[in-house]
Amino acid sequence: ETQPPTRARVDAASNCQARAAMPPKAKADAKAAAAEKSAEKAALAALGITPALKKMMLLDALACVTCGGTTLGPAVCCCKQSNKPPAGFDATDALLAAAKARVALEKEAARLVNAAQQSNVANQRLKAKEERVAAESDFSVIHQQGTGDDLLIVAEFPQGAKLGFSVEKNAVTQVTVGTDAAAQGVKRGWVIEEINGEPVEASKAAVLRAATVAMKPASLQP
């Protein structure tokens, strides 16, 4: 019943005896190996070689001692005649520089992706803002395109009223039911030619800018 604890004590004691019985040469070899490993870590740290960089360097190889090009780049040998490193050549500096350059390129690529994502978000927010402005702006002249002669229709909106329609370029794309635009008969497909008596470009941004200015009391015509 009480044998397992006893065996555990015997095993522990046996392990201690086994370690104590290690031959002096084996102990010296183990100590030397530990010291060598510690010295290697210190040397790598002094060169700025992290474990990650070390792995990258082990996968790479120096292709030319003249230009420092490596098999993984980013610098590729463009010499007319590649000068391969001789046996025993220390390529640490070249491999470290190449590994750091690849890390820098990866970081730059990640930065560009992040910047593109942020730009996309900013554009979406701007588009949403422009659509809100288009729905709330106040301007007065709308031109309806026809199959033959064009028909000029004037739609006047009171200051501060919500137009109630959306535009793409300078064309009405959607009219909201129950708004001033719907009440005045504004239809999808109408083309905005003028705002407050001024011609407007066939550009959504230009329409929105002109509509925003037209909403200001100082810019409204009597």
Side-chain angles (χ1 to χ4, degrees):
E1 298 291 338
T2 59
Q3 287 303 315
T6 302
R7 284 199 301 273
R9 287 196 297 272
V10 172
D11 290 342
S14 299
N15 290 336
C16 291
Q17 290 174 0
R19 286 195 296 271
M22 181 182 294
K25 186 177 184 306
K27 292 176 66 175
D29 291 343
K31 187 175 181 180
E36 183 179 355
K37 188 174 182 179
S38 177
E40 181 184 3
K41 286 184 177 180
L44 293 176
L47 292 173
I49 302 177
T50 64
L53 287 174
K54 182 179 178 181
K55 288 182 179 180
M56 295 176 67
M57 293 168 64
L58 291 174
L59 296 174
D60 201 3
L62 181 62
C64 178
V65 297
T66 302
C67 64
T70 68
T71 55
L72 296 181
V76 180
C77 179
C78 297
C79 301
K80 293 183 178 179
Q81 184 175 357
S82 178
N83 187 8
K84 295 183 179 180
F89 184 82
D90 185 4
T92 300
D93 291 343
L95 294 177
L96 176 59
K100 287 183 176 180
R102 291 197 298 275
V103 170
L105 288 176
E106 290 174 359
K107 289 182 177 179
E108 177 64 12
R111 186 192 68 79
L112 292 176
V113 170
N114 184 55
Q117 292 175 343
Q118 291 181 351
S119 177
N120 185 44
V121 171
N123 289 335
Q124 290 178 351
R125 290 177 177 174
L126 178 60
K127 182 178 180 180
K129 183 178 180 180
E130 290 176 346
E131 290 176 350
R132 290 195 302 269
V133 171
E136 296 173 359
S137 296
D138 176 28
F139 53 90
S140 59
V141 179
I142 298 177
H143 192 194
Q144 182 181 19
Q145 287 183 330
T147 55
D149 295 333
D150 288 345
L151 176 64
L152 182 64
I153 300 177
V154 177
E156 295 183 351
F157 295 84
Q159 181 183 356
K162 293 184 178 180
L163 293 178
F165 62 84
S166 302
V167 296
E168 281 297 335
K169 291 189 176 179
N170 64 333
V172 177
T173 58
Q174 183 178 0
V175 180
T176 304
V177 177
T179 61
D180 290 289
Q184 296 196 49
V186 176
K187 304 295 183 183
R188 179 181 178 183
W190 285 16
V191 176
I192 301 167
E193 295 278 338
E194 298 178 358
I195 296 177
N196 235 13
E198 297 293 333
V200 64
E201 297 178 11
S203 162
K204 181 176 180 178
V207 170
L208 295 175
R209 283 195 299 268
T212 302
V213 172
M215 283 293 294
K216 296 179 181 179
S219 67
L220 293 177
Q221 298 178 350

